[in-house]
Amino acid sequence: MDNLIRFETVSDYNAFNNAETLHPLVSVIDLANANPRHAYNMYFGFYTVFLKEVKCGDLRYGKNTYDYQEGTLVFIGSGQVVSVEHTGEKYQPKGYALVFHPDLIRGTSLGTNIQDYTFFGYHSNEALHISERERKIVKDCLAKIEFELEHGIDKHSKRLVVSNIEMLLNYCIRFYDRQFITRDDIHKGVLERFEHLLNNYFQTDRPQSLGLPSVAWCASELNFSASYFGDLVKKETGRTAQEYIQAKVIDMAKERIFDQSKSISEIAYELGFKYPQHFTRLFKQKTGISPTEYRALN
């Protein structure tokens, strides 16, 4: 990728932003101290949480504009590349960045459960929009982490720093739950579009050539990241997106099983199963009886 800057370590990113390295694995950075810069594509070898404080209008990502006036949190997982639109002009970054290396959280409860914080896999346009009150909570967490780093490293440092990072991320889970509700104008119709997408898919011959639709494929077709889409479906229905797809497959199967001219194996292939026994296993798991038994009952 052209114009790519790689940040493998926390120290690398501190140097880029004129920030002192107080701990090799974690840092809280005031981006106002960084030099004005051009837009770059950046690789992050660590977890990053940006608190963007933009009061001069909207930001543009690709072809879409997003309202960041109230402030936003953007999450970047370790090993991700962030692509930024290149305007050719320099800009002054504003806000704060919390960066922490995976090595910091190894052996901790946060390290064990980091995959539960699915927003590290969201797209930039799925950022967390926070209120003034929520921003104060976030900045308070950052201030506590910064206090521990400035205090100097001792036997308590790691536990206290990691605990405050975990508290911040847990607050973000709460804030996202609120966003899924309050930003309903953006999410409106997602389930209807999801249902329409699945119906259209199974009315074509794509299942035979492409197999069962994946969550990632559905999310991409609906212009979401797989993580954000999965969380949104779970909040709306209480089921995972995968469970929703499986339920649709079973509904389709029940309709087709009535057609006595087709064998169970033919129906399985039509629905996208490579092996009929996989279809039989899923059907029995979801209904309690086999496809053959269901056909006999009806």
Side-chain angles (χ1 to χ4, degrees), residues 33 49 52 57 59 65 105 113 116 119 123 126 132-133 166-167 189 201-202 212 217 220 231-232 283 285:
N33 294 326
V49 179
K52 292 182 173 291
L59 294 182
T65 302
I105 60 175
N113 300 308
D116 295 339
F119 40 72
H123 292 161
E126 297 159 347
E132 181 62 34
R133 188 173 183 180
E166 191 168 18
M167 179 182 293
Y201 188 85
F202 286 109
L212 294 170
W217 179 83
S220 177
D231 289 344
L232 182 58
F283 192 93
Q285 176 189 337

Side-chain angles (χ1 to χ4, degrees), residues 28-42:
V28 176
I29 302 168
D30 183 349
L31 296 172
N33 294 326
N35 295 327
R37 63 184 59 153
H38 290 288
Y40 297 99
N41 296 313
M42 294 176 282

Side-chain angles (χ1 to χ4, degrees), residues 160-179:
L160 290 169
V161 168
V162 172
S163 293
N164 279 292
I165 293 174
E166 191 168 18
M167 179 182 293
L168 169 61
L169 299 181
N170 286 334
Y171 270 119
C172 292
I173 289 177
R174 170 187 282 178
F175 298 159
Y176 259 118
D177 282 350
R178 183 268 308 151
Q179 177 165 301

Side-chain angles (χ1 to χ4, degrees), residues 136-176:
K136 288 179 179 177
I137 293 174
V138 170
K139 294 183 78 169
D140 182 58
C141 289
L142 295 178
K144 288 178 178 177
I145 296 168
E146 194 168 26
F147 172 82
E148 286 303 321
L149 296 178
E150 292 174 348
H151 180 274
I153 300 174
D154 59 26
K155 65 180 182 179
H156 305 289
S157 299
K158 178 176 178 177
R159 178 170 56 85
L160 290 169
V161 168
V162 172
S163 293
N164 279 292
I165 293 174
E166 191 168 18
M167 179 182 293
L168 169 61
L169 299 181
N170 286 334
Y171 270 119
C172 292
I173 289 177
R174 170 187 282 178
F175 298 159
Y176 259 118

Side-chain angles (χ1 to χ4, degrees), residues 43-68:
Y43 166 88
F44 291 86
F46 39 78
Y47 294 96
T48 306
V49 179
F50 286 116
L51 171 59
K52 292 182 173 291
E53 297 189 329
V54 179
K55 300 177 181 177
C56 55
D58 297 347
L59 294 182
R60 179 171 290 276
Y61 283 83
K63 297 179 180 178
N64 299 312
T65 302
Y66 301 97
D67 53 325
Y68 288 110

